[in-house]
Amino acid sequence: MHAEASAWVARFATDDVLIGLEFGSRDINGSIQGHFPNTVWTGVDIAEGPGCDIVADASTYQHPVPVDLVVCCEVFEHTALWPEIVANSFNQLKSGGVAIFTAAGRGRGPHSAVDGCGLREDEWYENVDEFRFDQVLVVAGFTDIEVDWIANPGDVRAFGRRP
């Protein structure tokens, strides 16, 4: 994970004991879990690998209990189902729970979900527009929404709370 995405997640870091769900948890280039040292994590990804506890689609995965925290970093640009992942994140949270997201926004070059290098044949990719990101969070039901875009490296980041 690049430094700007990690720094966004770090803004919300806590030592509180939480139940956390990470969508897109396979560690390709770093993990956010260290920002929440007392969180009991379940990592969900579409492929096996380090950091993945459950192989499943984040748009439909149903955790057995409501969680305090959902984090999904650097996934949305790799799937057309990212609005469904946002909605599912909301549904996984207990009341007062929070979601933290990062994605490639305007200006970031295409990269592979497999290894962060060049796109592979038939691999889907589309940068996430910060205005649409905000709308998707609103439609999902989030409150206390914060959406941020930075030009270099072309990140869009968001935070939302389930009322």
Side-chain angles (χ1 to χ4, degrees):
M1 169 162 321
H2 62 280
E4 295 82 1
S6 182
W8 175 259
V9 176
R11 288 185 55 210
F12 307 101
T14 181
D15 290 334
D16 292 349
V17 176
L18 303 173
I19 299 171
L21 182 60
E22 184 179 9
F23 287 141
S25 63
R26 189 167 35 103
D27 186 347
I28 295 173
N29 55 5
S31 173
I32 53 80
Q33 293 185 12
H35 295 304
F36 304 89
N38 296 318
T39 296
V40 177
W41 288 101
T42 300
V44 177
D45 203 293
I46 59 168
E48 290 181 347
C52 177
D53 301 306
I54 298 171
V55 175
D57 183 335
S59 69
T60 58
Y61 172 77
Q62 295 298 302
H63 199 62
V65 297
V67 301
D68 303 295
L69 173 66
V70 175
V71 178
C72 185
C73 294
E74 306 304 299
V75 170
F76 295 163
E77 64 268 29
H78 300 292
T79 176
L81 296 176
W82 71 266
E84 287 86 345
I85 296 173
V86 170
N88 193 35
S89 296
F90 179 87
N91 292 334
Q92 301 310 308
L93 290 167
K94 43 175 90 163
S95 181
V98 300
I100 304 166
F101 305 112
T102 71
R106 290 182 290 121
R108 178 110 63 93
H111 56 278
S112 174
V114 176
D115 58 10
C117 296
L119 286 179
R120 295 168 185 223
E121 189 174 329
D122 297 325
E123 191 171 5
W124 195 91
Y125 185 90
E126 183 177 278
N127 291 353
V128 177
D129 176 82
E130 66 270 22
F131 301 106
R132 180 156 184 243
F133 204 172
D134 185 72
Q135 292 172 339
V136 168
L137 289 162
V138 169
V139 168
F142 284 102
T143 60
D144 302 329
I145 295 169
E146 184 177 349
V147 177
D148 180 63
W149 173 77
I150 56 172
N152 188 9
D155 281 357
V156 62
R157 300 102 52 102
F159 169 90
R161 182 178 313 279
R162 180 176 180 140

